[in-house]
Amino acid sequence: KAENQAPEAPAETMDDYKEELEASFKQVREGDVLTGTVIGVDEDEITVDLQSYTEGIIKKEDFTNDPGVVLKEVIQNGDEITATVVKTDDGQGHVLLSRKEANDQMAWEKLEQCFRDRTPIHVKIDGIVKGGAVAYVEGIRAFIPASKLSTTYVEDLEDWLGKELDVQVITCEKEGKRLVLSARELAYAKEMEERQKKIAACEVGA
């Protein structure tokens, strides 16, 4: 009779695996690229909400190559940020992230476009080295030769520290990490424009 037969097992549904499924998505591995929302910024690190994972931490040195950057000036709560997993647990239950790798990739692509289009870039001189100056563009260290700082001879490089100027990318080599800028061409064009304005303003007999 039917009463001697074993009862049929209930049909399995996705709900039966809900917890296991969610757990599998929460597994984070080194090298993974995650996107989250900034929920905290201080002098040394950024805290990111990774939603279904946990909170992520991006230390200042893992955010950019620019040592002079002020995190609170470039990142605010609510910003969306994409970064690479460096460590799945920093010892306090947080995922340690690095934005430099992901940022560098996007930065070089942008700089290569600026090089092709001769797009002007506004920079600040952050350091003086032998033969020129150093500035940071999108977190990438760039060199400006002394001969490319101005249309005239630069006598004392130290006078340029902290100055802001418009430049163009004249060398962009991602593989060799060589980024060279020049302000000379833009400065010359500006001088010529101002000269033409003065000539145009002159009247006969003035």
Side-chain angles (χ1 to χ4, degrees), residues 51-91:
Q51 297 181 2
S52 61
Y53 300 101
T54 180
E55 288 183 358
I57 299 293
I58 304 175
K59 296 188 179 297
K60 183 177 180 179
E61 60 268 24
D62 291 322
F63 176 75
T64 177
N65 295 308
D66 183 355
V69 72
V70 178
L71 293 180
K72 290 185 178 181
E73 291 181 359
V74 295
I75 291 290
Q76 288 81 40
N77 285 347
D79 286 352
E80 194 173 82
I81 198 166
T82 299
T84 306
V85 176
V86 176
K87 205 172 184 179
T88 55
D89 191 339
D90 65 352

Side-chain angles (χ1 to χ4, degrees), residues 114-202:
C114 289
F115 174 66
R116 288 192 294 269
D117 299 342
R118 310 300 289 174
T119 307
I121 302 171
H122 193 72
V123 299
K124 179 181 178 182
I125 304 299
D126 290 308
I128 301 299
V129 294
K130 185 179 180 181
V134 171
Y136 286 86
V137 185
E138 301 288 330
I140 305 296
R141 187 179 189 272
F143 176 67
I144 309 174
S147 61
K148 298 292 186 180
L149 281 168
S150 172
T151 56
T152 57
Y153 174 72
V154 175
E155 189 170 341
D156 189 354
L157 281 169
E158 293 295 334
D159 291 341
W160 288 80
L161 188 62
K163 282 190 176 182
E164 296 185 16
L165 62 162
D166 292 321
V167 298
Q168 287 180 318
V169 179
I170 58 174
T171 300
C172 185
E173 298 176 3
K174 179 184 174 183
E175 289 74 17
K177 294 186 177 180
R178 293 182 71 243
L179 180 62
V180 184
L181 311 174
S182 173
R184 187 171 183 173
E185 294 77 11
L186 292 174
Y188 181 77
K190 188 174 181 181
E191 287 178 8
M192 289 299 100
E193 183 182 350
E194 290 175 354
R195 184 180 178 186
Q196 290 300 322
K197 284 180 180 178
K198 287 179 181 179
I199 292 173
C202 288

